[in-house]
Amino acid sequence: MDRPALEKLQFERLQKTLAQAAKSPYYSQILTKKVISSIRSVKDIQILPFVAKPELRENFPYGFLAEPLSEIVRLHSSSGTTGTPTVVFHTREDLAHWTDLTARSMYMAGLRKEDVFQNIMGYGLFTGGLGFHYGAEKVGAMVLPTAAGNSRRQIWFMNTFRTTAVHILPSYAMRLYSFFPEVGIDPKKDLALKIFFIGAEHHSEALRQQIQEAFGVKAFNSYGLSEMCGPGIAFECPCRSGMHLWEDEYLMEIIHPETGEVLPDGSEGELVLTSLCRTGMPLLRYRTHDLTKIIPEPCPCGRTHRRLARMRGRSDDMLILNGVNIFPLQIECAIMSVPNIGSNYVVEIDKEDFLDRIHIKLEVNPETFTGSLENMENLRREVVEAVRIELGLTPKVILLEPNSIPPWEGKAKRIVDLRKNEYKTE
Ligand code: ADP
Ligand code: ZN
C-alpha cells in the first residue's frame, strides 16, 4: 500500500477506535464528543493524554474494557518484568487481527506451509506462545507446540520431525545450544533448521550473530507487547535492518522520555503506540518505555511500513553506576565482542567502599571450557578489558562452566541490583 492510501486507512481506523474506546469507563471521561470531533487527522492524537502501566493498574481490572464481558473470549497478561502484571482482554475480532499479524510477520521472514515450526515459548498468560502458534497455523506450517524448557526433549523434536523454523527467547537459544554436544548432534550439520524468530526481550546484534553462527540459521527480530496484543507488532523483513511496524494496525510516535515532546523520525526516544483495530481494550498513546527510533529511509524490500531500530533498552532499566548512565545492553555488547565466549551471563551490581561495583558471572562455551586454564585466564582478562573500555568501569569477572547459571523461567533476568536488596545468585 502506498503511503497516502496507508495514511487514509489509518485515519479511518483511528476514528473507529476513538468511538470504540469511548465505550470504556476510563476513556468515556476523556473522549467526549467535542474531543473526538476535534481530531481531524492522525497527527491530532497529540491532544490526547498518554497512558502507561500505572493507569492500567489504577483501573484494574475492567476500567479499559470497551465491550461487555460476553464479547471477550480471552485474557492475557504481561509477564510482569517490571512489577505487577497488567491484564489485556481480547474479542474474537482482536484474536483474528493478531493471528493475521503474526502470520504476516512470519511469512515475510520466509515461513511457508511446508515448514515445521517449533514454538519454544511459554504457552499461557504470556503472549509469546499462543500469538505465534495461531499465526504459524494460519500460514499452514506444521506447528510443534513444545513450549519452553526441557532442552533435551526440544532437541529430540527438532531432530525427529526435521524442524525448519523455531521461535525462541534469545537468552534461551544459547542455553539450548549448550546441550547439543551432550546428545552428539551438530545443529548445523545434522538438523534441518533455517529460520529462528527471536524476540520478547532485549538482546544485542552480537547475540543474534552468535545464535546464527551456532545453529546455522537466519534469525529475525520480533517485537511486541501484551498491551497491544503481543508479538507481531514489529518484525524484521529479509533485509534485517530494523523491524517494520505494522502501521495499518498501530500508530507509532517517538517521544522524549522526560518531556513527552513528540520527536521527528530518526531521533531516539520512547516508543508510544495507539491501536487501530483493537475492540476489546483499545489503547491510545500507550507509553511502552522502550527506547528506539524510527528509521526514516524507506526499506530496500519495498514495504511502506516504517521501521523501528533495535530496542536499546527500557527507559526504566537504565542503570546509574558511579553517576554514569548505562544500559544493560551495553554490558552484553562488550562481553560479546570477545570471541569464543558464551552468552549466558548475569551481572550483579553492588556497593563497595561507597563505589558501585560490577560483578559479571559468565558461562563459557562448551568448546572453550574444555581448553586450558591459561586460556581461561586470558579470556577472563579480555572480558574485563572489553567491559572497561565500554563502560569506563573495571568489572570483576568470574567465568563459569556451561549450564551453571540456573535457567530463568521465561524472560532472562540478567541484572541483579544488590544496591536495591535484590537476591544474589549462588
Ligand atoms: P513485560 O512488560 O512484563 O515484559 P510483555 O511480555 O508484554 O510484558 O513484554 C513486552 C516487552 O518486552 C516490551 O515492552 C519490550 O520491553 C520487550 N520486548 C519485546 N520484544 C522485544 C524485542 N524484539 N527487542 C527488545 N525488547 C523486546
Ligand atoms: Zn523491509
Side-chain angles (χ1 to χ4, degrees), residues 1-22:
M1 201 178 255
D2 61 27
R3 287 298 305 182
L6 183 57
E7 281 157 24
K8 186 167 167 276
L9 179 68
Q10 284 182 321
F11 185 59
E12 283 163 19
R13 288 182 165 177
L14 176 65
Q15 282 178 307
K16 271 196 195 152
T17 299
L18 293 172
Q20 178 67 14

Side-chain angles (χ1 to χ4, degrees), residues 128-385:
L130 290 170
F132 268 68
H133 179 99
Y134 289 113
E137 281 187 355
K138 181 145 196 179
V139 171
M142 175 165 87
V143 180
L144 312 183
T146 51
N150 202 339
S151 303
R152 288 177 194 86
R153 197 178 62 131
Q154 299 286 359
I155 298 173
W156 183 84
F157 270 99
M158 280 181 182
N159 192 22
T160 309
F161 296 100
R162 310 309 292 158
T163 299
T164 55
V166 164
H167 179 210
I168 192 166
L169 285 170
S171 57
Y172 181 58
M174 293 311 288
R175 185 177 291 280
L176 179 64
Y177 178 67
S178 68
F179 282 88
F180 277 89
E182 181 185 311
V183 291
I185 291 175
D186 177 343
K188 265 189 183 158
K189 288 201 205 110
D190 304 332
L191 298 179
L193 300 171
K194 287 188 307 198
I195 303 175
F196 269 34
F197 303 120
I198 55 172
E201 60 184 7
H202 294 101
H203 61 284
S204 59
E205 180 58 37
L207 179 55
R208 183 229 296 262
Q209 299 292 343
Q210 211 176 62
I211 293 170
Q212 297 195 138
E213 185 54 33
F215 291 92
V217 295
K218 279 198 171 147
F220 294 81
N221 194 357
S222 147
Y223 172 80
L225 65 163
S226 335
E227 291 79 5
M228 290 294 127
C229 72
I233 309 290
F235 216 88
E236 278 182 334
C237 70
C239 300
R240 290 184 300 156
S241 56
M243 300 174 282
H244 289 283
L245 184 124
W246 299 126
E247 292 188 87
D248 56 332
E249 301 243 359
Y250 297 94
L251 292 180
M252 59 172 159
E253 299 168 272
I254 299 288
I255 62 164
H256 189 291
E258 274 139 39
T259 65
E261 176 205 352
V262 177
L263 301 176
D265 285 9
S267 317
E268 189 177 273
E270 180 180 337
L271 176 66
V272 171
L273 294 171
T274 296
S275 67
L276 291 177
C277 295
R278 294 188 42 78
T279 53
M281 190 174 152
L283 290 176
L284 311 169
R285 306 197 86 201
Y286 181 73
R287 291 187 65 155
T288 65
H289 287 295
D290 292 318
L291 299 175
T292 179
K293 61 181 178 195
I294 296 173
I295 301 173
E297 298 79 29
C299 184
C301 78
R303 285 178 184 83
T304 51
H305 301 261
R306 285 173 299 166
R307 286 168 296 163
L308 287 177
R310 176 181 294 284
M311 303 290 146
R312 197 154 79 92
R314 272 163 109 117
S315 54
D316 43 11
D317 67 17
M318 191 175 70
L319 296 164
I320 303 179
L321 297 179
N322 300 327
V324 181
N325 295 350
I326 287 166
F327 279 102
L329 217 52
Q330 278 177 276
I331 306 178
E332 178 171 306
C333 289
I335 295 174
M336 282 182 203
S337 67
V338 178
N340 302 320
I341 207 81
S343 61
N344 285 333
Y345 68 92
V346 282
V347 177
E348 288 170 356
I349 319 273
D350 211 349
K351 248 194 192 340
E352 264 172 37
D353 302 331
F354 307 104
L355 280 181
D356 295 324
R357 289 266 177 209
I358 313 177
H359 301 255
I360 301 175
K361 296 178 176 174
L362 169 64
E363 289 178 9
V364 292
N365 281 334
E367 306 91 65
T368 317
F369 190 69
T370 50
S372 71
L373 258 184
E374 194 190 332
N375 282 350
M376 293 285 278
E377 179 51 22
N378 289 341
L379 201 59
R380 199 188 65 78
R381 287 215 190 105
E382 273 185 70
V383 177
V384 172
E385 190 52 17

